[in-house]
Every structure is written in structure tokens, then in C-alpha cells.
Amino acid sequence: MLEASLNNTYRDVLDDAMCEDEKFNPVYVEQILEARTRIFDEMCKATGTPDTEYNELSSAKFNARSVTKKMLAEWLEAVCCIFDEYATPVLANSIKLAADLDTMKDEKIIDQKKIIDLQEKIIEKKEAELQSVKTVVQTTVQSEIKSYSSVLKSTCNKALAPRRMQAALKTATEEDGRSKNLIIYGLEEKKEDKLEDEILEVLSHLDEKPRIVSCSRLGKESTAEKEPTKRNFQPIRVSLSGTDHVRQILNKTRKLRTVEGYTRVYICPDRSPDQRVSHKKLVEELKQKRISEPSKRHYIRNNSIFSSDT
């Protein structure tokens, strides 16, 4: 075999495994290129050609006196050995690799087409399901709208009846009026004092001085003149100029508990009969809470009872 006489200068860069390896390995290509470089360097040196100027090697260079037949024979033998024993198997494996790559490319294209077809089928199915849901929703909504429209029409006809309109208007007017009112409990009637002055005296302890539109005691007419010895504590309704003053006073009314002479004076909103009934129930529940859970603080806020740890 040619391999047997290959110069060690070239052999030590070539792996004998590449002759039998059935797979393409780029390392083998690098080894063959290195062996070729060493042969060409030797040729350049013998022919006087500059290093790495391999394109200048020619028959005229090889016919020089410095190049012997033995050199030419050894170079030819080495080139044939490298090409036949090493380069040819690598080239064959590269061809096989290229064919395998083409096959893989074709298979990938087929797989991608299958994926695209599957995605299109899924999209079509989703669109069909979506259209089905859309139809059901539209039918249901239309049915509900018709039902709601008939109920609304019937309700509006009843609500807009003259008597109901008058009652609603009256209630709204009363509610608006009450929002500007206060009810004061526990303030004793004094014959010599004007009622408005007494009220302003109470509110002064809350650092409030609103404009009083009107004020009067509720219940039966005072009997103070007929029975001078009898004390009169009838509630007082006070009308102010705006709801803001009412809210400010109600937020400060607790301060009266610490003012001498006014510890039993209470200021409350002007509630409707129904609101008074509901508030009375809340007060009863509050009392029960304080008895059953004495370790907690219980209070009424926004028509509800709240509890917190003391």
C-alpha cells in the first residue's frame, strides 16, 4: 500500500481512524489540509519558491537541478497516498452527509407542513366553536332584552302613575328638608331665654356657629306657663342653611358629653318615621352587644353596628 511508504513528516498529522470512519468529521479535513501544507512547504523550499506562495509552483520549478527524481517520486507517492487513503473516505462521507442533510431538510419541510395543516384545523374548529357560542349568546341576550323590556315597561307604567309620582316627589322633598335639620334632645326650656339663643349656646361648645333658619320644640304646646314648677324637655327641631353644617355638627356632638350642664344633651339627625323605627332597633341591638361582649367597643355607623377591641 502507498500508506506504508508515507513520510513520517506527513503521517504524524493524519489519524488512521479516518480511513475506516463512516461518519464525516471536520477534524479529518483539518488534518488533510495540514499534511498538504507540509508537502507544499517542502516543495517550495526545494524549488526556491517563497513560503506559502503555492500558486507559483510549476513544471519549470520542478525541472530545476536542485530537484532530484527521488524527491519528485516521494512527493508523488505522498500526494497519492493522502488522496487515496485519507481524502477519498472523507469526501465520500461528506457526500453522504450532504444527502442526509437534504433528507432531513425534506422531512422537516414535511413536518412543518403537517404542523401548519394541524394549526389550520385547530383554528377552524375554534372559529366554529366561537361562532356557536356567539349565536347562543346573541339569542340569550335578545331574549333577556325582550323580557327586561316588557318588565321595565310594566314597572315604568306603574311607577309613573300620578299618585306614585306625587308620593315620590313628596318623599324626596321631605328627605331634602330633613337633610338640613337637627333634632336636639335634653335641652330644658327656660322661660326667660330665647330658644335660638339657647341653641347657639349649645353649638358654641362644638365650635360651630351656623345660620339658623328656624327652630321650634316638638310635641304638645308647652305647659310652662300653666305649671311653672314642671320642667320641660321637649325635643327641638333646628333648620340650618345647608347640609354641610349639619354634618359638621353631628361629627362633633360627642364633645357635649364632657361639657358641664350639657352631658344629657344629644343632637341627632332629623329621621323619618321609618328611619326612627330602624334606628331604635339598632340601639336595642347595640345595648345587647354591650351586655354580651363588654370587653369590646361597640358603636353605630352608617346604619350598622361595628365592634372593635378596646
Side-chain angles (χ1 to χ4, degrees), residues 40-53:
F40 281 2
D41 287 345
E42 188 174 311
M43 290 178 178
C44 288
K45 183 178 181 180
T47 59
T49 304
D51 293 343
T52 70
E53 298 294 335

Side-chain angles (χ1 to χ4, degrees), residues 216-234:
S216 61
R217 288 191 180 270
L218 304 177
K220 296 180 180 180
E221 187 178 352
S222 174
T223 58
E225 295 181 359
K226 297 180 181 180
E227 302 178 45
T229 58
K230 186 175 181 180
R231 303 176 71 184
N232 181 22
F233 291 92
Q234 288 176 309

Side-chain angles (χ1 to χ4, degrees), residues 197-244:
D197 293 337
E198 293 181 36
I199 295 169
L200 290 175
E201 176 65 22
V202 174
L203 299 180
S204 67
H205 293 289
L206 303 179
D207 298 323
E208 293 290 338
K209 192 177 181 180
R211 185 171 70 85
I212 297 176
V213 177
S214 63
C215 57
S216 61
R217 288 191 180 270
L218 304 177
K220 296 180 180 180
E221 187 178 352
S222 174
T223 58
E225 295 181 359
K226 297 180 181 180
E227 302 178 45
T229 58
K230 186 175 181 180
R231 303 176 71 184
N232 181 22
F233 291 92
Q234 288 176 309
I236 303 170
R237 176 181 283 125
V238 183
S239 296
L240 304 180
S241 58
T243 57
D244 291 339

Side-chain angles (χ1 to χ4, degrees), residues 2-14:
L2 293 171
E3 181 184 3
S5 58
L6 187 62
N7 193 313
N8 288 334
T9 303
Y10 321 131
R11 180 184 292 279
D12 61 3
V13 298
L14 298 171

Side-chain angles (χ1 to χ4, degrees), residues 43-44 47 49 53-64 67 72 75:
M43 290 178 178
C44 288
T47 59
T49 304
E53 298 294 335
Y54 304 145
N55 59 332
E56 293 187 10
L57 290 172
S58 62
S59 58
K61 294 274 187 178
F62 292 127
N63 200 28
V67 179
L72 291 173
W75 292 339

Side-chain angles (χ1 to χ4, degrees), residues 87-113:
T88 299
V90 172
L91 289 172
N93 288 335
S94 66
I95 294 172
K96 182 180 178 183
L97 176 62
D100 291 342
L101 289 174
D102 289 339
T103 302
M104 291 174 64
K105 183 179 180 181
D106 293 339
E107 291 176 351
K108 185 176 181 180
I109 293 173
I110 294 172
D111 290 341
Q112 287 177 337
K113 189 176 184 304

Side-chain angles (χ1 to χ4, degrees), residues 132-181:
S132 176
V133 172
K134 183 179 179 180
T135 303
V136 172
V137 171
Q138 287 178 339
T139 304
T140 304
V141 169
Q142 290 174 356
S143 176
E144 291 295 330
I145 289 176
K146 289 180 180 178
S147 176
Y148 176 74
S149 178
S150 61
V151 172
L152 182 62
K153 183 177 180 181
S154 175
T155 304
C156 287
N157 288 336
K158 293 178 181 179
L160 296 176
R163 290 183 179 179
R164 290 181 177 270
M165 287 288 289
Q166 291 175 0
L169 182 59
K170 182 180 179 182
T171 301
T173 303
E174 290 178 351
E175 289 294 332
D176 183 63
R178 287 196 189 92
S179 67
K180 300 177 183 179
N181 295 344

